[in-house]
Each structure stands twice: as structure tokens, then as C-alpha cells.
Amino acid sequence: MYLSFRSAVAAAMGDALAALDLPAEDLGIERPPEDVPAVLASSVAYRLAGEAGAPPPEVAAEIAGEIDPAAYDYVGAVETQGAYVNFLPNDRYFAETLEAAQAEEYGTLPDTGESVVVEHTSANPTGPVHVGRARNPIVGDALARVLSYAGNDVEVHYYVNDAGRQIAVFTWAYETFDESDLPEPERDSPEYEMVRYYREANDFLEDAPEADREAAEDEIQSILQGLEAGDEETYERVSEVVDTVLGGMRETLGRLPAEFDEFVKETRFMRDGSTDDLVDRLKELDAAVFEEDAWQLDLPDFEKNLVFLRSDGTSLYTTRDLAHHEWKFEHFDRAVTVLGEDHKLQADQLTSTLSLLGHDTDRLQQVFYSWVNLPEGGMSTREGTGVDLDDLLDEAIARAREEVEERLDDRQRSDDLDPEDVERIAHQVGIGAVRYDVVAKQPTKGITFEWDRALDFEAQSAPYVQYVHARCCGIIDEGKEAGYEVPETVSAETLTTDEERDLLRAIARFPGVIEQAAEELRPHVVATYTRDLAEAFNAFYRECPVLDADPETRAARLALVAAARTTVANALDALGVEAPDSM
């Protein structure tokens, strides 16, 4: 209803401006402040005051006077407030919102017919996932969910770097060092067992005698050359290491959860000839230069050239990623990539090169994120001093379990929670707190993860929103026990209090929030909305008894609670956060 209401408002404004012979390029439609009962408002009078030759409030009054609310769907009244033209909904808007929001798919937009590939995480398979990079899978997974809710056909990919020097070092180390000489793994999981070889290799290459280092470097280089030449034996050696580590990393990412439709290996584009073909085409570009025994692109907008072929004939990561993106363009309408802010230069050069190759780079969108830190300080996978994501999730679950157990005596629900229930809720709340706290911030802003804030049931956190869903479930369950079912049809005209109407207005906004988050590639917009929705529900809960109301009011309020439950659940699902039935 919100999207239809917005279309009606746009039509009303366009018609009014045409009647007044005023330009309608920018209608100035926006959400008014929370204390204004309107659903939408227009600030266009400020822009048109000069052309109309009148103060903005007078222009707003003229515009409002040209609009007959009855001529437009869902518009109940048009009012002015200073220079603003405010649009209020009619009863049909509330009634259809109440009905639509009880459907399981509420918030899902019509199919766009567009295919979108979302690439995220793509961390080098050299060891456990650490906290600093945790923002990538969390933001990436939420983006994929939001884009899917917005009606797109979405695939989620992990681009596996299995051809770079780090992997060659890792493969050499795995074949060189004896496990008995390595420390005990931090966890009984493949990536924790394997990372010991990688760390041992880095120590060796820093501290070993020069002759030993040179011998090691020769072997590492032979692995790189073998991959470049398409040698099957070399590929199998590297794949054993990569696939083992990646298997463990997938389990960790699955805890978030962050699931992938495909793991696309970098070597794929070397083995199928795509990289060689790309290199040949890059050499033909006017920007191509051969300097310092390497092929490079002299891109005018960048201080540094882009090297795409080394003097030894091996390609670089960006070269292979260019072939990867050409493959994306061949199979998908749009490509969205989530990257750390330290990859911005590389990403910009890649986009410029794709443009030189004749591709429509408007089909490529990149979302950059800053790091997640803990109060203890920074992290480094290579040095083995980082905080692993597994440790963070374990700690989150433990703290959530403690919080849930402390709150058991204060529960107002009649259902008893057994140990399995407590454990389930601890996982939902703990992992939900981590995800929500990360995704709720604008990606470009750094985060210092703080436990007290993330797990605060009273503040604007995941548990605060999750508790609203649990409360909705509790009200409906208690109603069923008393013989009160959620009615299939109910009149919204019974819901007349400010709190009821405010909650309905908040529920109605959800499809528009999904549309905005998908268009702007900003899932944190949904997180902000969930807090607004939770506040609106809590105000309703405080002021509007449900089960103790008269039969007609009780039925309407039960329907409103059911609509709120569905909306909260789907909004949290769009963020990848579970909605507990009980807390």
C-alpha cells in the first residue's frame, strides 16, 4: 500500500503542478517527521517559490487547493504545514495494510525479471575467518537477501583466490613441513589445522638462511608457473590445500549464516583460456604499454599503472578478476561486489579497464566497507594474532545464554522454557546480535563491537527487535488458549487510537523500505526501520490492551499484532537475523 500511496501522491502532485503551470521535474516527496500524522509530504513549494512569485507557504496552499483527495487511491486528506504539502491516508489504506501484512510474503516486491550476482567475502583461503573481515559476509548476505526481497533473481558467489602467491606458499608449506613440528590447532576444524602450515611458512621465509629461502622461493615460483601453464598436477596439489581450508571456512560462515550458491575459483579463468584471451585484448588497447619488462595499462585517472602481465609471463589477480567480471556480464544482468575499503583503488582500475574493453560498467556496483574492531585492538591473520569469528560467535552465544537465563524469572509468558529452548534462543539472540550490530551501521563507517550495546534487550539492538516478535507470538498464543483466533477479515476502522494508527503506518512502510534498501544497496536502512517498527509496537503494547478489550476491538488488535509479527519477522529475515517465537 505504501508504494501505491506514493504513486498516488506523485500523480496528485504532478497534476496539481501542471494545473498551476509550474515545473514538475522534482516533486520533493519525502517522509515527514515522526510527529506529523501524514504518510508523505512534499517540500516542492520551497523550490518553486521564485518561479511562482509567492512565499513557499502560499505556494503550498495553492498546490493543496488543486488536489481532490478522492481522485487518488489511498489518499484521505491533503493539508499544509508551513511550506509542506502533507498527504494523509484514508481508511482503505489502513484496511488493506492490515490484510496484506498478515501474508507470509509481505514485503516481497514483484519480480523485476533481472538477474543479479552478489559476490561477497571472497577471503583468501589461508585460515580461519577473523573478526576484522566479518563485515563482508554479514553485509553481503544481507544485501543478497534485500535484493531478493525486492524481486530480483539473485545468486550469491564466493570468488576463491586459488592462484596467488599466498596459496603457492601455503601449498609449498603443506608439502614441506611435518605436522609433528607444528603447534596444536586452536580448534578441531580443517582451517585451524591447516593455517599452522601457512604461519610456519611465513616464519621460515623471514628467518631461514638465505640459501634455504631461495630454494623455497624457487619451489613456490614453480607452483605459480604450473598454475599459469595449466598443469593438472599442480592444480590438484593446490586444490587439496584450498578445498580443505575452504571447507572449514564455509562451516564458520554458515553459522552467521552466510550461504553461497557457487564458489568460483580464480584458476577457472586460467584453465579455460579466458585470461590468455583477455591479455591479448588488453595488449591491443591504446592504453597498453610495455614498461619495466611488464605489460601495463596507463589509465589517465590513476597515478599508478595497472600491471596485467608480469615479466615472467604470469598474470595478476586483477587480470584474472577482469576475466571473471566478463563472465559475470555474460551470465547476469547486474553484478554487485562487496569489498573492503583497501580494495577501492583496485576496484576503480578494474571498472575503468572493463569500460575500455567496451563493457557497460553501469551494470557493476561495488559496496565498500570499513573494518570491524574489538576494543582490544586490531587483528592480523598472517601473524596469527587476530580474533577469529568463531570465537566471537561462541562468546556471543554464551553471553546471550547468560542473559536469557537471568531473565527467566521475570518472564510473563505461561510457557516454560526447557534447556533446549534456552540454547536455541541463546543462538538466535547471540548470533543475531552480532549480525544486527554490524549490518545496522553504514558500511563505510568503522565499527568497534561492544557487547553491552549489542546484547542490550532494552536498547535499539537485535534483542530489542527480536523481543517484539516474541511478544507478538506470545499474545497470539495466549489468545488461542483463551479461544480467541486471529480473524481472517477484520475492519481497520476499529483501530482509531494514535498508537494503533502509528503502528499501521509503520507496518505499511515495509515494502518501501525494501525498495529503498535494494536501490541504494544499503541494508542498514532495513535495520533502522526495524527499530522504528519496534518502537511503534511497544507504544501500542503499552497503551492498547489486546486480549482484555471488547470483542470487536480485540479481534482488530489481534489482527494488528499478527501483521506486526509478520512484518518484524520478514524485516529481520531481510537482515539475516532470526526471529524467536519466545524469549
Side-chain angles (χ1 to χ4, degrees):
M1 262 45 67
Y2 178 85
L3 297 177
S4 298
F5 183 85
R6 191 180 65 192
S7 296
V9 169
M13 286 296 301
D15 293 343
L17 294 178
L20 294 169
D21 197 26
L22 292 171
E25 291 80 14
D26 180 5
L27 300 177
I29 296 172
E30 58 190 57
R31 273 189 62 217
E34 295 296 330
D35 59 348
V36 176
V39 171
L40 290 170
S42 171
S43 60
V44 74
Y46 284 110
R47 180 176 64 82
L48 298 177
E51 186 149 353
E58 289 185 21
V59 178
E62 285 188 46
I63 294 170
E66 288 289 337
I67 299 173
D68 175 11
Y72 302 94
D73 288 344
Y74 304 113
V75 178
V78 181
E79 301 174 350
T80 59
Q81 185 176 6
Y84 288 90
V85 182
N86 293 334
F87 291 82
L88 285 72
N90 58 19
D91 286 337
R92 179 186 167 199
Y93 179 83
F94 290 115
E96 293 191 16
T97 294
L98 187 61
E99 179 181 355
Q102 294 182 62
E104 284 187 16
E105 69 276 7
Y106 183 60
T108 301
L109 305 186
D111 289 346
T112 64
E114 190 170 54
S115 60
V116 183
V117 57
V118 177
E119 179 203 330
H120 68 78
T121 306
S122 301
N124 291 341
T126 54
V129 182
H130 68 105
V131 172
R133 296 282 183 178
R135 203 167 191 176
N136 199 317
I138 292 173
V139 171
D141 184 73
L143 261 179
R145 289 168 178 268
V146 164
L147 287 166
S148 182
Y149 263 90
N152 300 288
D153 180 13
V154 178
E155 278 196 26
V156 184
H157 289 185
Y158 187 121
Y159 186 48
V160 183
N161 180 354
D162 65 336
R165 173 179 165 80
Q166 287 180 306
I167 298 304
V169 169
F170 205 156
T171 303
W172 167 78
Y174 182 63
E175 296 172 347
T176 300
F177 299 114
D178 193 296
E179 184 179 6
S180 61
D181 296 329
L182 303 176
E184 287 295 310
E186 297 169 9
R187 283 176 182 261
D188 182 18
S189 186
E191 75 276 35
Y192 289 89
E193 294 171 5
M194 294 292 288
V195 75
R196 298 174 299 161
Y197 293 96
Y198 181 63
R199 290 171 180 164
E200 184 71 15
N202 282 298
D203 290 342
F204 178 90
L205 292 173
E206 284 185 5
D207 302 330
E210 184 175 352
D212 293 339
R213 286 204 309 273
E214 288 179 355
E217 289 290 356
D218 287 343
E219 293 186 44
I220 292 166
Q221 186 63 23
S222 72
I223 294 172
L224 290 171
Q225 293 282 4
L227 289 174
E228 199 75 33
D231 180 67
E232 189 65 28
E233 181 184 354
T234 304
Y235 175 73
E236 290 177 0
R237 291 163 60 198
V238 169
S239 292
E240 181 181 358
V241 172
V242 169
D243 292 346
T244 302
V245 176
L246 202 57
M249 294 173 70
R250 290 178 69 174
E251 289 187 15
T252 298
L253 293 168
R255 297 179 67 188
L256 285 171
E259 304 290 344
F260 298 88
D261 296 302
E262 188 171 352
F263 285 77
V264 181
K265 287 188 174 181
E266 191 179 5
T267 49
R268 170 180 185 163
F269 305 103
M270 302 165 70
R271 290 158 62 83
D272 68 4
S274 298
T275 303
D276 289 340
D277 174 69
L278 175 74
V279 167
D280 290 341
R281 285 184 285 124
L282 290 175
K283 288 179 179 179
E284 297 299 319
L285 295 175
D286 291 341
V289 294
F290 186 75
E291 294 179 356
E292 299 177 1
D293 293 328
W295 278 97
Q296 309 177 31
L297 289 180
D298 183 4
L299 302 173
D301 295 331
F302 302 93
E303 293 183 8
K304 293 179 62 176
N305 285 0
L306 172 65
V307 178
F308 62 87
L309 194 68
R310 296 186 184 93
S311 58
D312 61 6
T314 56
S315 58
L316 287 86
Y317 176 88
T318 303
T319 322
R320 301 183 288 269
D321 202 19
L322 284 164
H324 173 214
H325 276 76
E326 289 194 321
W327 174 82
K328 288 183 183 181
F329 287 157
E330 182 182 351
H331 292 89
F332 300 92
D333 298 318
R334 289 168 56 203
V336 177
T337 311
V338 182
L339 297 164
E341 59 187 3
D342 56 332
H343 290 278
K344 193 169 190 316
L345 173 61
Q346 174 187 315
D348 289 345
Q349 288 183 321
L350 179 140
T351 301
S352 294
T353 305
L354 287 169
S355 182
L356 289 177
L357 289 167
H359 295 286
D360 176 11
T361 53
D362 288 341
R363 296 168 58 195
L364 173 62
Q365 296 168 286
Q366 291 145 339
V367 176
F368 296 96
Y369 67 91
S370 187
W371 315 128
V372 176
N373 292 305
L374 296 178
E376 292 78 10
M379 299 154 237
S380 166
T381 302
R382 184 177 179 279
E383 298 296 335
T385 58
V387 178
D388 296 325
L389 180 58
D390 280 313
D391 294 334
L392 180 70
L393 296 180
D394 287 348
E395 181 74 7
I397 293 167
R399 288 177 182 250
R401 184 188 302 113
E402 183 179 332
E403 183 70 26
V404 171
E405 289 173 343
E406 287 182 0
R407 298 171 69 91
L408 285 176
D409 292 339
D410 298 328
R411 294 182 78 249
Q412 298 178 2
R413 295 276 293 271
S414 59
D415 59 322
D416 293 325
L417 298 181
D418 60 28
E420 288 186 5
D421 292 325
V422 171
E423 194 61 28
R424 170 180 50 80
I425 295 169
H427 277 75
Q428 291 173 320
V429 172
I431 292 177
V434 171
R435 279 194 69 122
Y436 190 94
D437 198 64
V438 169
V439 81
K441 309 293 190 307
Q442 292 188 38
T444 53
K445 293 185 177 180
I447 293 178
T448 298
F449 187 84
E450 297 175 2
W451 291 110
D452 291 343
R453 179 192 64 209
L455 286 168
D456 191 339
F457 278 60
E458 309 301 329
Q460 294 185 333
S461 59
Y464 176 75
V465 179
Q466 289 173 312
Y467 196 72
V468 167
H469 184 266
R471 178 164 275 164
C472 289
C473 293
I475 293 171
I476 292 171
D477 289 346
E478 288 179 26
K480 288 180 180 178
E481 291 175 6
Y484 309 138
E485 295 287 340
V486 176
E488 292 185 7
T489 59
V490 66
S491 173
E493 294 179 5
T494 308
L495 304 172
T496 58
T497 69
D498 289 343
E499 290 78 17
E500 291 165 327
R501 290 292 167 113
D502 286 347
L503 179 54
L504 271 172
R505 271 190 285 267
I507 290 170
R509 282 180 49 215
F510 181 43
V513 170
I514 288 292
E515 181 188 69
Q516 179 189 355
E519 286 181 352
E520 299 176 358
L521 300 181
R522 299 196 306 162
H524 70 272
V525 168
V526 182
T528 301
Y529 166 74
T530 63
R531 294 194 290 259
D532 294 343
L533 180 61
E535 289 178 357
F537 179 85
N538 287 333
F540 159 78
Y541 180 79
R542 288 192 300 268
E543 301 298 329
C544 303
V546 178
L547 302 181
D548 293 337
D550 64 81
E552 185 179 10
T553 303
R554 178 175 60 234
R557 288 178 177 171
L558 272 172
L560 181 55
V561 171
R565 177 181 64 176
T566 301
T567 308
V568 172
N570 289 353
L572 286 174
D573 181 63
L575 299 173
V577 176
E578 288 195 65
D581 293 340
S582 183
M583 285 176 68

